[in-house]
Amino acid sequence: WKTKPSWFIVAAHDRVISPDLERYKAKLIKATTIELNSSHVPMISQPNKVTDFIMKAAQTFKTREAHLNAFGPDKGIPLRFCTAIPVDE
């Protein structure tokens, strides 16, 4: 997460993980973030919004050239989606 772009969906009505903690962690990893009015599992309650968010993130690295320019030829998949709180390494 320190070198790869990250995307984070904050569930505004989450009762499992505090939305404030989600916002804090998203900011900490400098993630592109959206906030949805959902509980803990927005991919079930708002699948279209989650899908749109993932598709927009994927468009960021649509071409191999963009991937190589951003990460070099041997860096693997550049996308990271946070569905849980990232752990500091």
Coordinates of all heavy atoms in Angstrom, one line a residue:
W1 N 0.8 -1.2 0.0 CA 0.0 0.0 0.0 C 0.8 1.3 0.0 O 0.4 2.3 -0.3 CB -1.0 0.0 1.2 CG -0.3 0.0 2.5 CD1 0.0 -1.1 3.3 CD2 0.2 1.1 3.3 NE1 0.6 -0.8 4.5 CE2 0.7 0.6 4.5 CE3 0.1 2.5 3.1 CZ2 1.3 1.4 5.5 CZ3 0.7 3.3 4.1 CH2 1.2 2.8 5.3
K2 N 2.1 1.1 0.3 CA 2.9 2.3 0.4 C 3.3 2.8 -1.0 O 3.6 4.0 -1.2 CB 4.2 2.1 1.2 CG 3.9 1.9 2.7 CD 5.1 1.7 3.5 CE 4.8 1.5 5.0 NZ 5.9 1.3 5.8
T3 N 3.4 1.9 -2.0 CA 3.8 2.3 -3.3 C 2.8 2.2 -4.4 O 3.0 2.6 -5.5 CB 5.1 1.5 -3.7 OG1 4.7 0.1 -3.7 CG2 6.2 1.8 -2.7
K4 N 1.7 1.6 -4.1 CA 0.6 1.3 -5.1 C -0.6 2.2 -4.8 O -1.0 2.4 -3.7 CB 0.2 -0.1 -5.2 CG 1.4 -1.0 -5.6 CD 0.9 -2.5 -5.7 CE 2.1 -3.3 -6.1 NZ 1.8 -4.7 -6.2
P5 N -1.2 2.7 -5.9 CA -2.5 3.4 -5.7 C -3.5 2.6 -5.0 O -3.6 1.4 -5.2 CB -2.9 3.7 -7.1 CG -1.7 3.6 -7.9 CD -0.8 2.6 -7.3
S6 N -4.3 3.2 -4.1 CA -5.3 2.5 -3.4 C -6.7 3.1 -3.5 O -6.7 4.3 -3.7 CB -5.0 2.5 -1.9 OG -3.7 1.8 -1.7
W7 N -7.7 2.4 -3.5 CA -9.1 2.8 -3.5 C -9.8 2.3 -2.3 O -9.6 1.2 -1.9 CB -9.8 2.4 -4.8 CG -9.3 3.1 -6.0 CD1 -9.9 4.1 -6.6 CD2 -8.1 2.9 -6.7 NE1 -9.2 4.6 -7.7 CE2 -8.0 3.8 -7.8 CE3 -7.0 1.9 -6.6 CZ2 -7.0 3.8 -8.7 CZ3 -6.0 2.0 -7.6 CH2 -6.0 2.9 -8.6
F8 N -10.7 3.1 -1.7 CA -11.3 2.8 -0.5 C -12.8 3.2 -0.5 O -13.1 4.3 -0.8 CB -10.6 3.5 0.7 CG -10.8 2.9 2.0 CD1 -9.7 2.2 2.7 CD2 -11.9 3.0 2.7 CE1 -9.9 1.7 3.9 CE2 -12.1 2.5 4.0 CZ -11.1 1.8 4.6
I9 N -13.6 2.3 -0.1 CA -15.1 2.6 0.0 C -15.4 2.7 1.5 O -15.2 1.7 2.2 CB -16.0 1.6 -0.6 CG1 -15.7 1.5 -2.2 CG2 -17.4 1.8 -0.3 CD1 -16.4 0.4 -2.9
V10 N -15.8 3.9 1.9 CA -16.2 4.1 3.3 C -17.7 3.8 3.4 O -18.5 4.3 2.7 CB -15.9 5.5 3.8 CG1 -16.5 5.7 5.2 CG2 -14.5 5.8 3.8
A11 N -18.1 2.9 4.3 CA -19.5 2.5 4.6 C -20.0 3.5 5.7 O -19.6 3.3 6.9 CB -19.6 1.1 4.9
A12 N -20.8 4.4 5.3 CA -21.1 5.5 6.3 C -21.9 5.0 7.5 O -21.9 5.7 8.5 CB -21.9 6.6 5.6
H13 N -22.6 3.9 7.3 CA -23.4 3.4 8.4 C -22.9 2.1 9.0 O -23.7 1.2 9.5 CB -24.9 3.3 8.0 CG -25.4 4.6 7.5 ND1 -25.7 5.6 8.4 CD2 -25.8 5.0 6.3 CE1 -26.1 6.6 7.6 NE2 -26.2 6.3 6.4
D14 N -21.6 1.8 8.8 CA -21.0 0.6 9.3 C -21.1 0.5 10.8 O -20.7 1.5 11.5 CB -19.6 0.6 8.8 CG -18.9 -0.8 8.8 OD1 -19.3 -1.7 9.6 OD2 -18.1 -1.1 8.0
R15 N -21.5 -0.6 11.3 CA -21.5 -0.8 12.8 C -20.4 -1.8 13.2 O -20.3 -2.1 14.4 CB -22.8 -1.3 13.2 CG -23.9 -0.3 13.1 CD -25.2 -0.8 13.8 NE -26.3 -0.1 13.3 CZ -27.5 -0.2 13.9 NH1 -27.7 -1.0 14.9 NH2 -28.5 0.4 13.4
V16 N -19.7 -2.4 12.2 CA -18.6 -3.3 12.5 C -17.3 -2.5 12.7 O -16.6 -2.7 13.6 CB -18.5 -4.4 11.4 CG1 -17.4 -5.3 11.7 CG2 -19.8 -5.2 11.3
I17 N -17.0 -1.7 11.7 CA -15.8 -0.8 11.7 C -16.3 0.6 11.7 O -17.1 1.0 10.9 CB -14.9 -1.1 10.5 CG1 -14.5 -2.6 10.5 CG2 -13.7 -0.2 10.5 CD1 -13.8 -3.0 9.2
S18 N -15.8 1.4 12.6 CA -16.3 2.8 12.7 C -16.0 3.5 11.4 O -14.9 3.5 10.9 CB -15.5 3.5 13.8 OG -15.6 4.9 13.7
P19 N -17.0 4.2 10.8 CA -16.8 5.0 9.6 C -15.7 6.0 9.8 O -14.9 6.3 8.8 CB -18.1 5.6 9.3 CG -19.1 4.7 9.9 CD -18.4 4.2 11.2
D20 N -15.5 6.6 11.0 CA -14.5 7.5 11.2 C -13.1 6.9 11.1 O -12.2 7.5 10.5 CB -14.6 8.2 12.6 CG -15.7 9.2 12.7 OD1 -16.1 9.7 11.6 OD2 -16.2 9.4 13.8
L21 N -13.0 5.6 11.6 CA -11.7 4.9 11.4 C -11.5 4.5 9.9 O -10.4 4.6 9.5 CB -11.8 3.6 12.3 CG -10.5 2.7 12.2 CD1 -9.3 3.5 12.7 CD2 -10.7 1.5 13.0
E22 N -12.5 4.2 9.2 CA -12.4 3.9 7.8 C -11.9 5.2 7.1 O -11.0 5.1 6.3 CB -13.7 3.5 7.2 CG -14.2 2.2 7.7 CD -15.6 1.8 7.1 OE1 -15.9 2.3 6.0 OE2 -16.3 1.0 7.7
R23 N -12.5 6.3 7.4 CA -12.0 7.6 6.7 C -10.6 7.9 7.1 O -9.8 8.3 6.2 CB -12.9 8.7 7.2 CG -14.3 8.7 6.6 CD -15.1 9.9 7.1 NE -16.5 9.6 7.0 CZ -17.3 9.3 8.0 NH1 -16.8 9.2 9.3 NH2 -18.6 9.0 7.8
Y24 N -10.2 7.7 8.3 CA -8.8 7.9 8.8 C -7.9 7.0 8.0 O -6.8 7.5 7.5 CB -8.7 7.7 10.3 CG -7.3 7.6 10.8 CD1 -6.6 8.8 10.9 CD2 -6.7 6.4 11.1 CE1 -5.2 8.8 11.3 CE2 -5.4 6.4 11.5 CZ -4.7 7.5 11.6 OH -3.4 7.5 12.0
K25 N -8.2 5.7 7.9 CA -7.3 4.8 7.3 C -7.2 5.1 5.8 O -6.1 4.9 5.2 CB -7.7 3.3 7.5 CG -7.4 2.9 8.9 CD -6.0 2.8 9.2 CE -5.7 2.2 10.6 NZ -4.2 1.9 10.8
A26 N -8.3 5.4 5.2 CA -8.3 5.8 3.7 C -7.3 7.0 3.5 O -6.6 7.0 2.6 CB -9.7 6.1 3.3
K27 N -7.5 8.0 4.4 CA -6.6 9.2 4.2 C -5.1 8.8 4.5 O -4.2 9.3 3.8 CB -7.0 10.2 5.2 CG -6.3 11.5 5.1 CD -6.9 12.6 6.0 CE -6.1 13.9 5.9 NZ -6.6 14.9 6.8
L28 N -4.9 7.9 5.5 CA -3.5 7.5 5.8 C -2.8 6.9 4.6 O -1.6 7.1 4.4 CB -3.6 6.5 7.0 CG -2.3 6.0 7.5 CD1 -1.5 7.1 8.2 CD2 -2.5 4.8 8.5
I29 N -3.6 6.1 3.8 CA -2.9 5.4 2.7 C -3.1 6.2 1.4 O -2.8 5.7 0.3 CB -3.4 4.0 2.5 CG1 -4.9 3.9 2.2 CG2 -3.1 3.1 3.7 CD1 -5.5 2.5 1.8
K30 N -3.7 7.4 1.5 CA -3.9 8.3 0.4 C -4.7 7.7 -0.7 O -4.4 7.8 -1.9 CB -2.5 8.8 -0.2 CG -1.7 9.6 0.8 CD -0.4 10.0 0.2 CE 0.4 10.8 1.2 NZ 1.2 10.1 2.2
A31 N -5.8 7.0 -0.3 CA -6.6 6.3 -1.2 C -7.6 7.2 -1.9 O -8.1 8.2 -1.3 CB -7.4 5.2 -0.4
T32 N -8.0 6.9 -3.1 CA -9.1 7.5 -3.7 C -10.3 6.9 -3.0 O -10.4 5.7 -2.9 CB -9.1 7.2 -5.2 OG1 -7.9 7.7 -5.8 CG2 -10.3 7.8 -5.9
T33 N -11.2 7.8 -2.5 CA -12.2 7.3 -1.6 C -13.6 7.8 -2.1 O -13.8 8.9 -2.5 CB -12.0 7.8 -0.2 OG1 -10.6 7.5 0.2 CG2 -12.9 7.3 0.8
I34 N -14.6 6.9 -1.9 CA -16.0 7.3 -2.0 C -16.6 6.8 -0.7 O -16.2 5.9 0.0 CB -16.7 6.7 -3.2 CG1 -16.8 5.2 -3.1 CG2 -16.2 7.2 -4.5 CD1 -17.8 4.6 -4.1
E35 N -17.7 7.5 -0.3 CA -18.4 7.2 0.9 C -19.9 6.8 0.4 O -20.5 7.6 -0.3 CB -18.4 8.3 1.9 CG -19.1 8.0 3.2 CD -18.8 8.9 4.3 OE1 -17.7 9.5 4.3 OE2 -19.6 9.0 5.2
L36 N -20.3 5.7 0.8 CA -21.6 5.2 0.5 C -22.5 5.1 1.7 O -22.0 4.7 2.8 CB -21.6 3.8 -0.2 CG -20.8 3.8 -1.5 CD1 -20.8 2.4 -2.1 CD2 -21.4 4.7 -2.5
N37 N -23.8 5.5 1.6 CA -24.7 5.3 2.7 C -25.1 3.9 2.8 O -26.2 3.5 2.3 CB -26.0 6.2 2.4 CG -25.6 7.7 2.6 OD1 -24.8 8.0 3.5 ND2 -26.2 8.5 1.8
S38 N -24.3 3.1 3.4 CA -24.5 1.7 3.5 C -24.0 1.2 4.8 O -23.3 1.9 5.5 CB -23.8 0.9 2.4 OG -22.4 0.9 2.5
S39 N -24.3 -0.1 5.1 CA -23.8 -0.7 6.3 C -22.4 -1.4 5.9 O -21.8 -1.0 4.9 CB -24.8 -1.7 6.8 OG -25.1 -2.7 5.8
H40 N -22.1 -2.4 6.6 CA -20.7 -3.0 6.5 C -20.4 -3.6 5.1 O -19.3 -3.7 4.7 CB -20.6 -4.1 7.5 CG -19.2 -4.7 7.6 ND1 -18.1 -3.9 8.0 CD2 -18.7 -5.9 7.4 CE1 -17.0 -4.7 7.9 NE2 -17.4 -5.9 7.6
V41 N -21.5 -4.0 4.3 CA -21.2 -4.7 3.1 C -21.8 -3.9 1.9 O -22.9 -4.3 1.3 CB -21.8 -6.1 3.1 CG1 -21.3 -6.9 1.9 CG2 -21.4 -6.8 4.4
P42 N -21.2 -2.8 1.5 CA -21.8 -2.0 0.4 C -21.9 -2.7 -1.0 O -22.7 -2.4 -1.8 CB -20.9 -0.8 0.3 CG -19.6 -1.2 0.9 CD -20.0 -2.3 1.9
M43 N -21.1 -3.7 -1.2 CA -21.1 -4.5 -2.4 C -22.4 -5.3 -2.6 O -22.8 -5.6 -3.7 CB -19.9 -5.3 -2.6 CG -19.7 -6.4 -1.6 SD -19.1 -5.8 -0.1 CE -17.3 -5.9 -0.2
I44 N -23.1 -5.5 -1.5 CA -24.4 -6.2 -1.6 C -25.5 -5.1 -1.6 O -26.5 -5.2 -2.4 CB -24.6 -7.1 -0.4 CG1 -23.6 -8.3 -0.5 CG2 -26.1 -7.6 -0.3 CD1 -23.6 -9.2 0.7
S45 N -25.5 -4.1 -0.8 CA -26.6 -3.1 -0.7 C -26.5 -2.1 -1.9 O -27.5 -1.6 -2.3 CB -26.6 -2.4 0.6 OG -25.4 -1.6 0.8
Q46 N -25.3 -1.9 -2.4 CA -25.2 -0.9 -3.5 C -24.2 -1.4 -4.6 O -23.2 -0.8 -4.9 CB -24.7 0.5 -3.0 CG -25.7 1.1 -2.0 CD -25.4 2.5 -1.6 OE1 -24.9 3.3 -2.4 NE2 -25.5 2.8 -0.3
P47 N -24.5 -2.5 -5.2 CA -23.6 -3.2 -6.1 C -23.2 -2.3 -7.3 O -22.1 -2.3 -7.8 CB -24.3 -4.5 -6.5 CG -25.7 -4.2 -6.3 CD -25.7 -3.3 -5.1
N48 N -24.2 -1.5 -7.8 CA -23.9 -0.7 -9.0 C -22.8 0.4 -8.7 O -21.9 0.7 -9.5 CB -25.1 -0.1 -9.5 CG -26.1 -1.1 -10.2 OD1 -25.6 -2.2 -10.5 ND2 -27.3 -0.8 -10.2
K49 N -23.0 1.0 -7.5 CA -22.0 2.1 -7.1 C -20.6 1.5 -6.9 O -19.6 2.1 -7.3 CB -22.5 2.8 -5.9 CG -23.7 3.7 -6.2 CD -24.2 4.5 -5.0 CE -25.4 5.3 -5.4 NZ -25.9 6.1 -4.3
V50 N -20.6 0.3 -6.3 CA -19.3 -0.4 -6.0 C -18.7 -0.8 -7.3 O -17.5 -0.5 -7.6 CB -19.5 -1.6 -5.1 CG1 -18.2 -2.4 -5.0 CG2 -19.9 -1.1 -3.7
T51 N -19.5 -1.3 -8.2 CA -19.0 -1.7 -9.6 C -18.4 -0.5 -10.3 O -17.3 -0.6 -10.9 CB -20.1 -2.4 -10.4 OG1 -20.5 -3.6 -9.7 CG2 -19.6 -2.8 -11.7
D52 N -19.1 0.6 -10.3 CA -18.7 1.8 -11.0 C -17.4 2.3 -10.4 O -16.5 2.7 -11.2 CB -19.7 2.9 -10.9 CG -21.0 2.7 -11.7 OD1 -20.9 1.8 -12.6 OD2 -22.0 3.4 -11.5
F53 N -17.2 2.2 -9.1 CA -16.0 2.7 -8.5 C -14.8 1.8 -8.9 O -13.7 2.3 -9.2 CB -16.2 2.6 -6.9 CG -15.1 3.3 -6.2 CD1 -14.7 4.6 -6.3 CD2 -14.4 2.5 -5.2 CE1 -13.7 5.2 -5.6 CE2 -13.4 3.1 -4.5 CZ -13.0 4.4 -4.7
I54 N -15.0 0.5 -8.9 CA -14.0 -0.5 -9.3 C -13.6 -0.2 -10.8 O -12.4 -0.2 -11.1 CB -14.4 -1.9 -9.1 CG1 -14.5 -2.2 -7.6 CG2 -13.5 -2.9 -9.8 CD1 -15.2 -3.5 -7.2
M55 N -14.6 0.0 -11.6 CA -14.4 0.2 -13.0 C -13.6 1.5 -13.3 O -12.6 1.5 -14.1 CB -15.7 0.2 -13.8 CG -16.4 -1.1 -13.8 SD -15.5 -2.5 -14.5 CE -15.4 -2.0 -16.2
K56 N -13.9 2.5 -12.5 CA -13.1 3.8 -12.6 C -11.7 3.6 -12.2 O -10.7 4.1 -12.8 CB -13.8 4.9 -11.8 CG -15.0 5.4 -12.5 CD -15.7 6.4 -11.6 CE -17.0 6.8 -12.2 NZ -17.8 7.7 -11.4
A57 N -11.5 2.8 -11.1 CA -10.1 2.5 -10.7 C -9.4 1.7 -11.7 O -8.2 2.0 -12.0 CB -10.2 1.8 -9.4
A58 N -10.0 0.7 -12.3 CA -9.4 -0.1 -13.3 C -9.0 0.8 -14.6 O -7.9 0.5 -15.2 CB -10.3 -1.2 -13.7
Q59 N -9.8 1.7 -14.9 CA -9.5 2.6 -16.0 C -8.2 3.4 -15.8 O -7.5 3.8 -16.8 CB -10.6 3.6 -16.3 CG -11.9 2.9 -16.9 CD -11.6 2.3 -18.2 OE1 -11.0 2.9 -19.1 NE2 -12.2 1.1 -18.5
T60 N -7.8 3.6 -14.6 CA -6.6 4.3 -14.3 C -5.4 3.6 -14.9 O -4.4 4.2 -15.3 CB -6.4 4.4 -12.7 OG1 -7.6 5.1 -12.2 CG2 -5.2 5.2 -12.4
F61 N -5.5 2.3 -14.9 CA -4.3 1.5 -15.4 C -4.8 0.6 -16.6 O -4.5 -0.6 -16.6 CB -3.7 0.7 -14.3 CG -3.1 1.5 -13.3 CD1 -3.7 1.9 -12.1 CD2 -1.8 2.0 -13.5 CE1 -3.1 2.7 -11.2 CE2 -1.2 2.9 -12.6 CZ -1.9 3.2 -11.4
K62 N -5.6 1.2 -17.5 CA -6.2 0.5 -18.6 C -5.1 -0.1 -19.5 O -5.3 -1.2 -19.9 CB -7.1 1.4 -19.3 CG -7.8 0.8 -20.5 CD -8.8 1.8 -21.1 CE -9.5 1.1 -22.3 NZ -10.4 2.1 -23.0
T63 N -4.1 0.6 -19.8 CA -3.2 0.1 -20.8 C -1.9 -0.4 -20.1 O -1.5 0.0 -19.0 CB -2.8 1.2 -21.8 OG1 -2.0 2.2 -21.0 CG2 -4.0 1.9 -22.4
R64 N -1.3 -1.3 -20.8 CA 0.0 -1.8 -20.3 C 1.0 -0.7 -20.2 O 1.8 -0.7 -19.3 CB 0.5 -2.9 -21.2 CG 1.8 -3.5 -20.8 CD 2.1 -4.8 -21.6 NE 3.5 -5.2 -21.5 CZ 4.1 -5.7 -20.4 NH1 3.4 -5.8 -19.3 NH2 5.3 -6.1 -20.4
E65 N 1.0 0.2 -21.1 CA 1.9 1.3 -21.1 C 1.8 2.1 -19.9 O 2.8 2.5 -19.2 CB 1.7 2.2 -22.4 CG 2.7 3.4 -22.4 CD 2.5 4.2 -23.7 OE1 1.6 4.0 -24.4 OE2 3.4 5.1 -23.8
A66 N 0.6 2.4 -19.5 CA 0.4 3.2 -18.2 C 0.9 2.4 -17.0 O 1.5 3.0 -16.1 CB -1.1 3.5 -18.1
H67 N 0.7 1.1 -17.1 CA 1.2 0.2 -16.0 C 2.7 0.3 -15.9 O 3.3 0.5 -14.9 CB 0.7 -1.2 -16.2 CG 1.2 -2.2 -15.2 ND1 0.5 -2.6 -14.1 CD2 2.4 -2.8 -15.1 CE1 1.3 -3.4 -13.4 NE2 2.4 -3.6 -14.0
L68 N 3.3 0.1 -17.1 CA 4.8 0.1 -17.1 C 5.4 1.5 -16.7 O 6.4 1.5 -16.0 CB 5.3 -0.3 -18.5 CG 5.0 -1.7 -18.9 CD1 5.4 -1.9 -20.4 CD2 5.7 -2.7 -18.0
N69 N 4.7 2.5 -17.1 CA 5.2 3.9 -16.8 C 5.1 4.1 -15.3 O 5.9 4.7 -14.6 CB 4.5 4.9 -17.5 CG 4.8 5.0 -19.0 OD1 5.9 4.5 -19.4 ND2 3.9 5.6 -19.8
A70 N 4.0 3.6 -14.7 CA 3.8 3.8 -13.2 C 4.6 2.9 -12.4 O 5.1 3.3 -11.3 CB 2.3 3.6 -12.9
F71 N 4.8 1.6 -12.8 CA 5.4 0.6 -11.9 C 6.6 -0.2 -12.4 O 7.2 -0.9 -11.7 CB 4.3 -0.4 -11.5 CG 3.2 0.3 -10.7 CD1 2.0 0.6 -11.4 CD2 3.3 0.6 -9.4 CE1 1.0 1.3 -10.7 CE2 2.3 1.3 -8.7 CZ 1.2 1.6 -9.4
G72 N 6.9 -0.1 -13.7 CA 8.0 -0.9 -14.2 C 7.4 -2.2 -14.6 O 6.3 -2.6 -14.3
P73 N 8.3 -3.0 -15.4 CA 7.8 -4.3 -16.0 C 7.5 -5.4 -15.0 O 6.9 -6.4 -15.4 CB 8.9 -4.6 -16.9 CG 10.1 -4.0 -16.4 CD 9.6 -2.7 -15.7
D74 N 8.0 -5.4 -13.8 CA 7.9 -6.5 -12.9 C 7.3 -6.3 -11.6 O 7.5 -6.9 -10.6 CB 9.3 -7.1 -12.7 CG 10.3 -6.1 -12.0 OD1 9.9 -4.9 -12.0 OD2 11.3 -6.5 -11.5
K75 N 6.3 -5.3 -11.5 CA 5.8 -4.9 -10.3 C 4.4 -5.5 -10.0 O 3.8 -5.2 -9.0 CB 5.7 -3.4 -10.2 CG 7.0 -2.7 -10.2 CD 7.9 -3.2 -9.0 CE 9.2 -2.4 -9.1 NZ 10.1 -2.8 -8.0
G76 N 3.8 -6.3 -10.9 CA 2.5 -6.9 -10.6 C 1.4 -6.0 -10.8 O 1.5 -4.9 -11.4
I77 N 0.2 -6.5 -10.3 CA -1.0 -5.7 -10.5 C -1.0 -4.5 -9.6 O -0.8 -4.5 -8.4 CB -2.2 -6.6 -10.1 CG1 -2.3 -7.8 -11.0 CG2 -3.5 -5.8 -10.2 CD1 -3.2 -8.9 -10.7
P78 N -1.3 -3.3 -10.2 CA -1.1 -2.0 -9.5 C -2.4 -1.6 -8.7 O -2.3 -0.6 -8.0 CB -0.9 -1.0 -10.6 CG -1.6 -1.6 -11.7 CD -1.5 -3.1 -11.6
L79 N -3.4 -2.4 -8.7 CA -4.6 -2.0 -8.0 C -4.8 -2.6 -6.6 O -4.5 -3.8 -6.4 CB -5.9 -2.3 -8.8 CG -5.9 -1.8 -10.2 CD1 -7.2 -2.2 -11.0 CD2 -5.9 -0.2 -10.2
R80 N -5.3 -1.8 -5.7 CA -5.6 -2.4 -4.4 C -6.9 -1.8 -3.9 O -7.1 -0.6 -3.9 CB -4.5 -1.9 -3.4 CG -4.8 -2.3 -1.9 CD -3.8 -1.7 -1.0 NE -4.3 -1.7 0.3 CZ -3.9 -2.7 1.2 NH1 -3.1 -3.6 0.8 NH2 -4.4 -2.7 2.4
F81 N -7.8 -2.6 -3.6 CA -9.1 -2.2 -3.0 C -9.1 -2.6 -1.6 O -8.9 -3.7 -1.2 CB -10.3 -2.8 -3.8 CG -10.4 -2.3 -5.2 CD1 -9.8 -3.0 -6.2 CD2 -11.0 -1.1 -5.4 CE1 -9.8 -2.5 -7.5 CE2 -11.1 -0.6 -6.7 CZ -10.5 -1.3 -7.7
C82 N -9.5 -1.7 -0.7 CA -9.6 -1.9 0.7 C -11.0 -2.3 1.1 O -11.9 -1.5 0.9 CB -9.1 -0.7 1.5 SG -7.4 -0.2 1.0
T83 N -11.1 -3.5 1.6 CA -12.4 -3.9 2.1 C -12.3 -4.1 3.6 O -13.2 -4.5 4.3 CB -12.9 -5.2 1.5 OG1 -11.9 -6.2 1.7 CG2 -13.1 -5.0 0.0
A84 N -11.1 -3.9 4.1 CA -10.9 -4.0 5.6 C -9.8 -3.0 5.9 O -9.2 -2.3 5.0 CB -10.4 -5.4 6.0
I85 N -9.5 -2.8 7.2 CA -8.5 -1.8 7.6 C -7.1 -2.3 7.3 O -6.8 -3.4 7.7 CB -8.7 -1.5 9.1 CG1 -10.1 -1.0 9.4 CG2 -7.7 -0.5 9.6 CD1 -10.5 0.2 8.7
P86 N -6.3 -1.6 6.5 CA -5.0 -2.1 6.3 C -4.1 -2.1 7.5 O -4.3 -1.2 8.4 CB -4.4 -1.1 5.3 CG -5.3 0.1 5.4 CD -6.6 -0.3 5.9
V87 N -3.3 -3.0 7.6 CA -2.4 -3.1 8.8 C -1.0 -2.5 8.5 O -0.5 -2.8 7.4 CB -2.2 -4.6 9.2 CG1 -1.3 -4.8 10.3 CG2 -3.6 -5.2 9.5
D88 N -0.5 -1.7 9.3 CA 0.8 -1.1 9.1 C 1.8 -2.3 9.1 O 1.8 -3.2 9.9 CB 1.2 -0.1 10.2 CG 0.3 1.1 10.1 OD1 -0.2 1.4 9.0 OD2 0.1 1.8 11.1
E89 N 2.8 -2.1 8.2 CA 3.9 -3.1 8.1 C 5.1 -2.6 8.8 O 5.4 -1.5 8.9 CB 4.1 -3.5 6.7 CG 2.9 -4.2 6.1 CD 3.2 -4.5 4.6 OE1 4.2 -4.1 4.0 OE2 2.3 -5.2 4.0

